[in-house]
């Protein structure tokens, strides 16, 4: 890659970081009653932003929680527990429509140990009606309460739950004459446990959780999310090389698509990542931290 293109790339990152500081990153979190939505938000941000009540449902309406990290503003919308027996599901749909506009990403939260997929079907139907079917293109599925499943049954249960949710989303899309099954089956999923650092297979789940969200956040939200959480993430060694490569590539793709950089024949995302100027960049502030955190290890790039 030419030195001119390298410099242009760095300038594009600086410009995007400046832009996101004037915008607000919007998350939408949905799921049934008692499925761990509030705890999941707190795990993502590594702070007690959303109140949690283990004894009874905490969220009774669509509630927006405003916050700021690293100079980047954000709002996370929590929703009531759908299908809670109150008969208010249509009211919830109207509240979502009126309050949540163009979210950059959605977390669909469901319990890993859930045995009633009918509830998932109802929640998925409500989400599609409230926000439109395109919301599934920016969704990550989060299975909570992972350690309520026995270690010997963990993989089977996780595979089963993934299949159930993907099939239900596909059926909802088909009802609206959308026959592209990739929309449903490309949605990443991750199992977590908000009371433990590991899942029953002994693996730490936070890196998988964050990676799944980065993969599905909209392109315009990628830089905002990484800028917001880079300091927190860089202080915790939670990613393996594969996860870092996924995030790095999404970062590069977002910059390319947002800045209008033209990729010519023979030029690839990997080539830009491997550029010596970028790898040696030592600028300060969020830009320097972003590049240092996500573009610094050439050996991690596929």
């Amino acid at each position: 890659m030419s030195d001119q293109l390298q410099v242009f790339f760095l300038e594009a990152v600086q410009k995007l970081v400046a832009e996101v500081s004037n915008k607000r990153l919007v998350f939408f979190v949905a799921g049934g009653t008692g499925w761990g939505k509030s705890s999941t938000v707190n795990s993502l941000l590594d702070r007690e932003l959303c109140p949690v009540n283990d004894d009874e449902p905490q969220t009774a309406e669509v509630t927006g929680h405003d916050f700021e990290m690293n100079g980047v503003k954000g709002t996370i919308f929590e929703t009531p527990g759908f299908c809670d027996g109150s008969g208010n599901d249509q009211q919830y749909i109207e509240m979502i429509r009126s309050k949540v506009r163009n979210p950059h990403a959605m977390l669909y939260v469901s319990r890993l140990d859930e045995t009633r997929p009918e509830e998932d079907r109802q929640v998925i139907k409500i989400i599609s009606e409230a926000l439109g079917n395109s919301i599934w293109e920016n969704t990550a599925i989060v299975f909570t309460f992972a350690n309520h499943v026995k270690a010997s049954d963990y993989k089977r249960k996780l595979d089963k739950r993934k299949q159930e949710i993907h099939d239900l989303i596909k059926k909802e899309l088909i009802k609206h004459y959308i026959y592209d099954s990739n929309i449903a089956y490309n949605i990443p999923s991750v199992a977590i446990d908000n009371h433990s650092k590991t899942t029953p297979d002994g693996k730490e789940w936070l890196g998988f959780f964050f990676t799944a969200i980065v993969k599905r956040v909209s392109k315009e939200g990628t830089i905002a999310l990484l800028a917001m959480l880079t300091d927190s993430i860089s202080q915790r060694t939670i990613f393996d090389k594969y996860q870092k490569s996924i995030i790095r590539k999404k970062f590069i793709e977002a910059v390319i698509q947002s800045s209008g950089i033209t990729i010519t024949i023979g030029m690839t995302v990997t080539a830009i990542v491997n550029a010596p100027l970028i790898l040696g960049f030592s600028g300060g502030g969020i830009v320097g931290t972003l590049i240092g955190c996500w573009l610094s290890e050439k050996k991690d790039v596929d």
Side-chain angles (χ1 to χ4, degrees), residues 29-273:
V29 185
T33 299
W35 286 2
K37 299 185 297 296
S38 298
S39 295
T40 298
V41 170
N42 293 338
S43 293
L44 171 64
L45 298 178
D46 194 28
R47 60 194 293 190
E48 295 298 318
L49 179 68
C50 301
V52 176
N53 189 327
D54 293 331
D55 297 322
E56 59 185 29
Q58 182 67 31
T59 305
E61 58 183 28
V62 178
T63 305
H65 300 281
D66 294 333
F67 62 99
E68 182 173 331
M69 295 177 68
N70 247 5
V72 180
K73 300 177 181 67
T75 300
I76 290 186
F77 284 97
E78 277 192 288
T79 58
F82 300 132
C83 310
D84 57 4
S86 66
N88 292 329
D89 286 349
Q90 188 59 43
Q91 180 181 341
Y92 296 158
I93 290 174
E94 297 305 323
M95 285 194 295
I96 293 169
R97 285 175 176 167
S98 65
K99 292 188 176 184
V100 184
R101 304 293 177 86
N102 302 315
H104 294 99
M106 180 176 78
L107 303 183
Y108 178 80
V109 178
S110 185
R111 294 180 64 121
L112 183 61
D113 60 346
E114 179 60 59
T115 59
R116 298 163 295 179
E118 172 61 22
E119 290 199 19
D120 281 294
R121 187 187 71 79
Q122 291 291 339
V123 174
I124 288 168
K125 177 177 181 291
I126 290 170
I127 292 170
S128 290
E129 289 185 11
L131 294 177
N133 293 301
S134 61
I135 188 63
W136 300 109
E137 297 178 11
N138 296 118
T139 294
I141 300 168
V142 183
F143 293 113
T144 54
F145 296 92
N147 285 305
H148 283 218
V149 176
K150 294 180 179 179
S152 59
D153 197 37
Y154 173 67
K155 185 179 185 306
R156 184 198 67 80
K157 183 65 173 179
L158 180 57
D159 290 343
K160 178 182 178 183
R161 291 290 285 136
K162 288 180 182 178
Q163 188 69 42
E164 286 176 348
I165 302 300
H166 286 155
D167 287 347
L168 288 170
I169 294 172
K170 177 185 175 181
K171 289 178 181 178
E172 184 63 32
L173 293 174
I174 288 175
K175 283 169 51 179
H176 297 275
Y177 306 102
I178 301 173
Y179 298 101
D180 184 359
S181 61
N182 289 329
I183 295 176
Y185 294 112
N186 284 343
I187 300 175
S189 59
V190 58
I192 73 172
D193 193 303
N194 291 300
H195 299 289
S196 173
K197 292 183 178 180
T198 60
T199 42
D201 56 359
K203 296 181 180 179
E204 294 193 9
W205 53 262
L206 189 57
F208 294 100
F209 178 39
F210 185 76
T211 303
I213 295 171
V214 173
K215 286 173 67 176
R216 296 299 282 188
V217 70
S218 64
K219 293 295 189 298
E220 59 271 21
T222 301
I223 302 299
L225 178 61
L226 291 179
M228 179 183 291
L229 298 178
T230 286
D231 280 355
S232 174
I233 297 300
S234 64
Q235 294 169 8
R236 296 180 289 175
T237 307
I238 64 171
F239 297 109
D240 58 28
K241 293 180 179 179
Y242 177 68
Q243 292 165 350
K244 284 198 73 173
S245 73
I246 291 174
I247 296 171
R248 182 180 291 111
K249 288 177 180 177
K250 181 68 183 295
F251 176 21
I252 297 294
E253 289 168 358
V255 175
I256 290 171
Q257 293 188 17
S258 300
S259 64
I261 294 175
T262 300
I263 302 300
T264 60
I265 297 175
M267 181 60 63
T268 64
V269 170
T270 299
I272 295 178
V273 174

